[in-house]
Amino acid sequence: MWFVENLPKGATGKILRREITIPTSENDHVTMAMRNSVPTGTVDRNVTQHAKEFPTMTTPDSPADAFNGTKHVVDGLSVYCVDTAPAATTRPTVVAVHGIPESSVAWRDVAAAVGDSARMVIPDLPGFGQSDKPSDYDYSLARQSRLLEKLLARVVPEAPIHLAVHDIGGPVGLMWAMRNPDRVASLLILNTTMFHERFRPPPMALKALVPVIGPRTVAEALSRESEFKRAFLRPCARPIDAATLDELHAPYRQPDACRAAALTWSAYKRGLPEFVRTRRALPRITAPTTVLFGARDPYCTPASARAFASRIPHARRRLLDDVGHFTPTEAPAEVADELISLVQQAK
């Protein structure tokens, strides 16, 4: 859910029964102004320039498929997983992996916009949302990826998977994809990175790397609602409505969620060797791939989008000029549009 205010003029579409505007251009070059200078990039701006009309967005008077989930015990942990159409075995299956500090809620409006075009499977990674948050769990992204693999073996045991990843869900999902290339039907990469040399970590992530006191300090900060919301909104370019922000914050009313997020950031370095192996394998991806980035992300900048697109054969790159870091929450219509396009392309 997001507002129309402050969007640039351009072509109109319909989201939540409101008029929105999507930036357009007659050429395919765009110059992005970031916190530091970001080079001009060449992007595909001719496909899906207009938002589609999605009549089933998640609003009280217009329900989509039920955004409900169940809990699965994986490696002794209770892992919550949303499945928008568990009985619809003939639909293509999209697996969407969230970021930090998020949960499956981040993908809710995307799932509503996708509607009956696909079944969406959206887990809460351990430490997030409604999944368990043990204090002694290894929150490295490599460990999260292995657990995702076991969960998918249970929830989506055979069907081809259209994979959508964002933020820390990028490494988690891509590590899985490199181990299971025959399962990947298509790939949508949103504001994430596998390139630490191009990554500008958020302040909380940097603080969490300080041994012992770092995770404690970050956990305390996340526990304060105002600080959580400031940190979430800081890298956003489009407004986030208050109700969505409250839902994203809700798990962080509990100390175990704050601790788990801090431990996830603090474990970042432990995942670097797996990062390197995975990025080296990117050229082996053969599935249709779109790299869709908010151009105003101060953390995972368009430089990472270029790096992905240059390594994945035939990957299409698209930048959203007025979107920041939290792509699924800021731009659910555009994300859903790209997912539907990839699903159709892979048929």
Side-chain angles (χ1 to χ4, degrees), residues 168-232:
I168 65 166
V172 171
L174 290 170
M175 289 175 193
W176 172 86
M178 295 302 101
R179 295 192 299 271
N180 300 272
D182 295 339
R183 297 287 313 275
V184 182
S186 72
L187 180 60
L188 178 61
I189 301 174
L190 310 174
N191 292 75
T192 184
T193 193
M194 297 292 297
F195 311 96
H196 58 273
E197 70 276 12
R198 293 177 171 85
F199 180 44
R200 299 172 181 171
M204 283 192 181
L206 291 173
K207 291 177 184 177
L209 294 173
V210 178
V212 185
I213 62 171
R216 292 178 185 173
T217 301
V218 170
E220 290 174 1
L222 288 171
S223 70
R224 296 188 284 272
E225 181 174 354
S226 61
E227 194 154 350
F228 172 93
K229 291 181 177 180
R230 279 197 300 271
F232 192 92

Side-chain angles (χ1 to χ4, degrees), residues 160-163 174 176-189 278-290 308-309 311-316 342 345-347:
I161 287 174
H162 299 270
L163 182 64
L174 290 170
W176 172 86
M178 295 302 101
R179 295 192 299 271
N180 300 272
D182 295 339
R183 297 287 313 275
V184 182
S186 72
L187 180 60
L188 178 61
I189 301 174
T278 300
R279 63 190 269 180
R280 286 175 178 168
L282 291 176
R284 299 207 298 265
I285 294 174
T286 58
T289 300
T290 295
F308 277 118
R311 286 165 173 79
I312 300 174
H314 311 297
R316 172 176 171 266
L342 284 167
Q345 184 179 348
K347 287 182 178 179

Side-chain angles (χ1 to χ4, degrees), residues 18-89:
R18 303 184 187 195
E19 293 294 321
I20 67 164
T21 53
I22 304 299
T24 61
S25 173
E26 295 181 355
N27 56 52
D28 62 353
H29 291 79
V30 58
T31 302
M32 289 78 65
M34 301 292 292
R35 179 179 58 188
N36 295 321
S37 61
V38 177
T40 297
T42 301
V43 295
D44 181 350
R45 315 185 67 79
N46 298 315
V47 182
T48 59
Q49 277 294 318
H50 303 283
K52 296 177 67 177
E53 180 172 340
F54 297 112
T56 55
M57 292 297 287
T58 304
T59 61
D61 60 333
S62 181
D65 286 341
F67 196 78
N68 298 321
T70 56
K71 291 190 174 183
H72 306 265
V73 177
V74 183
D75 286 352
L77 298 179
S78 176
V79 180
Y80 181 79
C81 185
V82 169
D83 193 335
T84 62
T89 55

Side-chain angles (χ1 to χ4, degrees), residues 7-20:
L7 296 182
K9 294 183 178 180
T12 59
K14 290 185 179 179
I15 298 296
L16 295 174
R17 302 186 181 88
R18 303 184 187 195
E19 293 294 321
I20 67 164

